[in-house]
Amino acid sequence: MESSSRKKILIRTTLTGALIGCFFPILAYLARQNPNVLFYIICTAPMVLGLCAYLVSRTRIQAEDLLINKRSEKKINDQKRLLETILNHLPNMVFAKDYQNGLRFVLFNSAGEELLGLRNQDLIGKNDYDFFPKDQADFFTAKDREVFQSKKKVVIEQEPINTPQGSRVLKTVKVPTFRDDGTPDLLIGISVDITEELELQRSLESERGRSLLHSKLAALGEMSAGVAHEINNPLAIIAGNIGLIRRYREDPEKLETKVQAIEKSVERIAKIVRGLKKFARVSDEPHFEETAISELIRESVSLTEAKAQRHQTRVEIASTIDAKITCDTVEIEQVMVNLINNAIDAAKSTPDPWVKIHAFLDSDQVVVQVIDSGTGVTPDVEARLFEPFFTTKEVGEGTGLGLSISKGILTQHKATLQLNRNMKHTCFEIRFKKV
Amino acid sequence: MGRIRIFYLDDEEELLAIFQETFESDRHEIRTFSSPNDLILEVAKNPPSLIFLDYRLPSTTGLEVAKLLPDSIPKILITGDLNISGASGFQEILTKPFSISEIQKILDQL
Ligand SMILES: Nc1ncnc2c1ncn2[C@@H]1O[C@H](COP(=O)(O)OP(=O)(O)O)[C@@H](O)[C@H]1O
Ligand SMILES: [Mg+2]
């Protein structure tokens, strides 16, 4: 088309030239016949020359126009090619539907073709009712009209769709375009296939549940050895006192002291069992409630008492505050037990092993620190602290899950867990939002 | 005099008191210890006929303490733990809560 218009101009230029050329022999002939003609020629010369100049410049302008046209045409073509390349190499499905023409497809990129298993030429000019079951098509069309009504982009977070590879889930953004006069024009849709992402998320969630179970079992295992001993001792006291009660049947005073000793032992056992009860709850949804931080710390310390005693480690609540946090008490107690157990493990081989717990306020945050007399955390261990299954402990002693699970629980609580490097001793620090 | 001397080591003081109150008799003299060191010193001075040792002690175990006592004296291990390994050289291993009649029987046989 561009070369044909050039040809047209060429022909026109030649014809114009020939036409002007024809004048001169005619004028020369007329001048020989009648010398007066020369006078007319001289008189009309400016007009003829002006005509010639006009014709030549018109031709040139046309040639220039052509050049500009050619350039902008090239520009449009370049942009079209760029857009096509981008569209067809995008991993996301991109399509456009014409509102004025029954929401029929006017554009469909390669990723879309692949996803739907249909070719571009089979799609263009068709609408959703040609491909999808009626209920799905109804859903899509309703959403499309909504987009034009709201005049804003609409995000469809989860859009189930049937494809030859089975059903997939898309996240789709739909954007309306309007003509200059404000009438609806095109609907542009961009879809991301989030099927795998959703599956991963689901499996991570169930993995988290499983890990939570693992860490509970590990904590339970660690505790049960100590717990058996803790329960059997008061049981022995009860059994012994029962024997003595038989002997002192006639002595009310002695009888009373034995009964009291039994009561005390029963309470001791009941307390241990209450502590165990928390481990029975495994995969329920977190149960958030307002809890006093000091109560939480006290309960956690009592859960680790057996272990502390076994390793001759002093666990001390060095400071505490009267503040409340919103949390799942069982889960946060589990975090605290993990941190205290780690601290005891770190401290137990030092000459005078101790663990100190501080709770204080830092503006609107409740800070809990678990500090131990251990030899600290080396930089290479620090880098991997929160990795699941990372442990420096013997097989059977460490699961490597304590800190990673704790971090997960705290993230769910919008709280943070960090190794505080600004302290002289090893310090793990939790920061909660105050109620 | 002439009573049979029996020693009992446990960190649970209440249990020591009950043990003494239950088994002390005209035939048996019960002496209790909450510290392994005290027991070892006393055994060296006045060897008893039988020693009861608790397994789980604050900084050590009954097994460790047994190694520091003469082989000639019979020993009985008492444990509240579920399972323990490496216990040898004991006349018997009893589990807590121990039965009074069982211990009485052992004492009567001395
Ligand atoms: N208080 C601490 N002092 C020194 N090292 C620690 C401390 N707490 C945790 N660690 C290190 O982090 C590792 C991972 O801890 P954790 O996730 O609780 O698993 P586990 O305790 O089962 O090993 C531990 O094995 C240990 O090397
Ligand atoms: Mg741990």
Side-chain angles (χ1 to χ4, degrees):
Chain A
M1 150 188 170
E2 161 198 310
S3 64
S4 75
S5 64
R6 178 183 286 176
K7 212 181 276 169
K8 233 185 261 168
I9 288 173
L10 208 69
I11 291 167
R12 212 178 289 162
T13 316
T14 316
L15 285 177
T16 315
L19 206 65
I20 296 169
C22 285
F23 270 112
F24 289 98
I26 296 170
L27 290 176
Y29 171 74
L30 287 176
R32 247 181 75 187
Q33 296 287 311
N34 186 348
N36 279 343
V37 172
L38 199 63
F39 170 74
Y40 293 119
I41 292 171
I42 291 164
C43 286
T44 52
M47 215 179 78
V48 172
L49 284 175
L51 184 74
C52 290
Y54 164 74
L55 288 173
V56 168
S57 64
R58 207 185 83 157
T59 311
R60 186 177 290 160
I61 286 169
Q62 273 179 342
E64 252 163 40
D65 277 355
L66 180 78
L67 206 68
I68 290 168
N69 264 344
K70 208 182 103 186
R71 276 207 199 115
S72 60
E73 208 171 290
K74 183 176 174 300
K75 218 184 223 166
I76 290 171
N77 274 335
D78 281 352
Q79 275 176 353
K80 204 175 150 209
R81 198 174 323 115
L82 178 73
L83 198 66
E84 261 171 20
T85 312
I86 293 175
L87 279 178
N88 288 329
H89 288 86
L90 264 184
N92 303 342
M93 169 163 90
V94 180
F95 56 85
K97 296 171 176 180
D98 187 353
Y99 183 86
Q100 303 296 345
N101 187 16
L103 286 166
R104 283 173 219 283
F105 287 107
V106 290
L107 181 148
F108 219 85
N109 74 338
S110 308
E113 291 180 297
E114 201 175 311
L115 181 72
L116 298 190
L118 291 166
R119 277 176 314 160
N120 204 311
Q121 54 261 49
D122 302 329
L123 282 156
I124 303 298
K126 304 254 171 70
N127 69 14
D128 287 341
Y129 289 94
D130 296 317
F131 313 108
F132 301 115
K134 187 172 176 305
D135 55 331
Q136 274 186 19
D138 279 343
F139 175 79
F140 295 144
T141 311
K143 283 279 173 202
D144 292 351
R145 298 204 185 279
E146 202 182 302
V147 175
F148 282 104
Q149 247 154 37
S150 69
K151 294 195 161 75
K152 275 187 307 207
K153 85 166 185 195
V154 170
V155 181
I156 303 148
E157 290 295 339
Q158 291 192 17
E159 193 176 41
I161 186 168
N162 289 341
T163 75
Q165 302 95 285
S167 60
R168 315 284 299 173
V169 183
L170 306 181
K171 176 177 177 172
T172 299
V173 181
K174 289 183 171 175
V175 192
T177 66
F178 295 89
R179 292 177 187 164
D180 288 342
D181 64 0
T183 52
D185 188 12
L186 295 179
L187 177 110
I188 314 289
I190 303 165
S191 301
V192 189
D193 186 346
I194 55 168
T195 317
E196 267 91 36
E197 198 183 312
L198 279 180
E199 267 163 23
L200 189 71
Q201 204 176 319
R202 259 181 229 126
S203 79
L204 275 179
E205 265 160 28
S206 76
E207 183 59 38
R208 185 183 164 268
R210 252 203 309 278
S211 306
L212 208 61
L213 176 63
H214 276 160
S215 89
K216 280 188 176 165
L217 287 177
L220 187 61
E222 203 170 282
M223 270 177 61
S224 65
V227 160
H229 179 256
E230 290 307 296
I231 289 180
N232 283 334
N233 260 339
L235 277 182
I237 294 171
I238 291 171
N241 276 316
I242 289 173
L244 289 171
I245 281 176
R246 288 215 179 87
R247 188 187 300 176
Y248 298 135
R249 234 168 248 168
E250 311 299 324
D251 186 340
E253 228 168 89
K254 278 199 170 161
L255 217 57
E256 181 56 26
T257 59
K258 302 302 157 202
V259 168
Q260 273 174 17
I262 288 176
E263 275 175 347
K264 228 174 75 197
S265 297
V266 167
E267 183 42 42
R268 207 171 126 186
I269 294 169
K271 193 173 155 210
I272 293 162
V273 174
R274 270 202 299 278
L276 288 177
K277 215 159 72 183
K278 311 196 176 223
F279 289 87
R281 239 196 51 189
V282 168
S283 61
D284 313 10
E285 283 296 294
H287 171 71
F288 289 95
E289 59 193 345
E290 274 186 24
T291 313
I293 193 75
S294 54
E295 181 54 38
L296 226 155
I297 294 174
R298 220 175 310 130
E299 192 61 30
S300 313
V301 169
S302 87
L303 282 169
T304 51
E305 238 162 38
K307 183 179 169 110
Q309 218 173 355
R310 224 179 319 142
H311 297 296
Q312 294 283 286
T313 304
R314 220 163 4 100
V315 178
E316 181 194 343
I317 303 173
S319 68
T320 187
I321 34 150
D322 188 21
K324 285 190 170 176
I325 56 168
T326 303
C327 69
D328 181 315
T329 314
V330 178
E331 289 197 341
I332 298 303
E333 266 174 30
Q334 203 198 337
V335 170
M336 288 298 300
V337 167
N338 280 334
L339 294 184
I340 299 170
N341 278 342
N342 281 349
I344 294 173
D345 282 337
K348 68 187 179 193
S349 47
T350 55
D352 173 29
W354 54 258
V355 175
K356 284 188 183 138
I357 300 162
H358 288 275
F360 56 90
L361 279 181
D362 182 7
S363 66
D364 66 335
Q365 290 184 319
V366 174
V367 184
V368 179
Q369 295 180 328
V370 179
I371 305 169
D372 65 65
S373 64
T375 49
V377 182
T378 58
D380 52 322
V381 170
E382 182 182 358
R384 306 188 57 191
L385 273 179
F386 299 103
E387 243 173 60
F389 303 110
F390 171 75
T391 179
T392 55
K393 295 170 192 174
E394 299 281 310
V395 178
E397 264 178 43
T399 58
L401 286 170
L403 287 177
S404 70
I405 299 272
S406 299
K407 187 137 205 169
I409 290 175
L410 290 173
T411 304
Q412 261 204 337
H413 282 76
K414 298 198 170 53
T416 59
L417 172 61
Q418 270 174 329
L419 177 68
N420 183 341
R421 277 290 189 192
N422 301 322
M423 307 281 284
K424 188 170 161 232
H425 296 280
T426 318
C427 170
F428 280 83
E429 186 174 288
I430 309 176
R431 282 174 177 268
F432 297 101
K433 246 214 173 82
K434 201 182 98 185
V435 171
Chain B
M1 284 298 104
R3 283 198 298 175
I4 302 166
R5 288 159 61 79
I6 291 143
F7 288 2
Y8 176 30
L9 170 73
D10 199 316
D11 60 325
E12 191 75 58
E13 309 256 3
E14 234 178 307
L15 215 45
L16 293 178
I18 290 168
F19 196 90
Q20 177 144 38
E21 208 172 342
T22 307
F23 300 114
E24 176 95 32
S25 69
D26 295 344
R27 268 198 77 218
H28 302 111
E29 179 193 350
I30 310 288
R31 295 224 31 204
T32 62
F33 302 85
S34 58
S35 142
N37 285 342
D38 293 351
L39 171 84
I40 291 163
L41 288 176
E42 192 58 29
V43 169
K45 272 195 270 175
N46 284 309
S49 308
L50 178 64
I51 304 173
F52 289 89
L53 295 170
D54 181 29
Y55 169 70
R56 196 185 278 264
L57 296 161
S59 51
T60 180
T61 67
L63 303 184
E64 298 303 314
V65 177
K67 285 182 199 154
L68 303 172
L69 297 170
D71 289 342
S72 54
I73 306 171
K75 301 168 204 74
I76 291 178
L77 188 70
I78 297 182
T79 173
D81 279 65
L82 299 174
N83 43 28
I84 46 171
S85 54
S88 62
F90 290 93
Q91 179 186 316
E92 211 156 327
I93 296 174
L94 301 179
T95 54
K96 282 181 185 172
F98 45 74
S99 118
I100 294 172
S101 55
E102 195 173 355
I103 292 181
Q104 194 64 64
K105 216 158 80 194
I106 293 168
L107 298 187
D108 289 344
Q109 278 164 8
L110 287 174

